[in-house]
Amino acid sequence: MAPDDHGDRPTTWSLWAHRIMIELLLATSSLAGLAVGLVGPLWVIIVTTVLVAVLSAVMTWSQGFSALSGVAVTTGCLIACQISYIAGRFVTRQYGFPEQLFEDEVDGEPGDPRQRGISDDNGKDGKPPSRPPSSEL
């Protein structure tokens, strides 16, 4: 990517390519953090963080970012990864996802999703009906 007429300033094409690279790195880091937050154990986020840092540093260096810009992008990627991880953990703890998908063991027998107080024999269990019978006038 050649400099423009002013010497060392990058061209518009170069700035556009750098912007796309930054957005891709941030999106990839966020998705990695979210995936680990939803299904991964705690130690996997440590490995993921190291991989995100190395990947973003190598990509920014190979694309010709300055040292300060590369550090800023790498820091942004690490922050995006951690925030996404925390969001994934929150969803997992708050709503039980994805553990609820694997809650029942698959053994060929249907589970018991019925509510309490609802019987199989349509009220022949000796309990009074849920509403009083209507009085006839």
Side-chain angles (χ1 to χ4, degrees):
M1 309 206 194
D4 64 1
D5 297 335
H6 302 290
D8 61 346
R9 295 183 64 198
T11 62
T12 304
W13 174 255
S14 175
L15 292 175
W16 186 75
H18 281 181
R19 180 177 173 193
I20 289 176
M21 178 62 64
I22 291 169
E23 290 172 357
L24 285 174
L25 286 171
L26 287 171
T28 304
S29 301
S30 296
L31 288 175
L34 184 63
V36 171
L38 288 174
V39 295
L42 180 62
W43 64 270
V44 177
I45 192 63
I46 296 169
V47 174
T48 305
T49 302
V50 170
L51 289 175
V52 164
V54 169
L55 176 71
S56 63
V58 167
M59 292 302 291
T60 55
W61 176 75
S62 69
Q63 293 296 317
F65 282 77
S66 67
L68 185 59
S69 298
V71 168
V73 171
T74 301
T75 303
C77 288
L78 290 173
I79 290 170
C81 182
Q82 294 296 320
I83 289 173
S84 298
Y85 172 77
I86 291 170
R89 277 287 140 201
F90 174 76
V91 168
T92 301
R93 294 201 195 287
Q94 188 74 20
Y95 302 107
F97 179 80
E99 285 87 10
Q100 67 186 4
L101 297 176
F102 306 107
E103 191 173 274
D104 292 331
E105 187 175 310
V106 178
D107 58 0
E109 296 179 17
D112 191 15
R114 295 175 291 173
Q115 298 176 0
R116 293 181 185 210
I118 299 175
S119 64
D120 289 334
D121 52 358
N122 297 326
K124 297 177 186 171
D125 59 353
K127 292 182 182 176
S130 59
R131 62 181 175 172
S134 61
S135 60
E136 297 179 33
L137 296 174

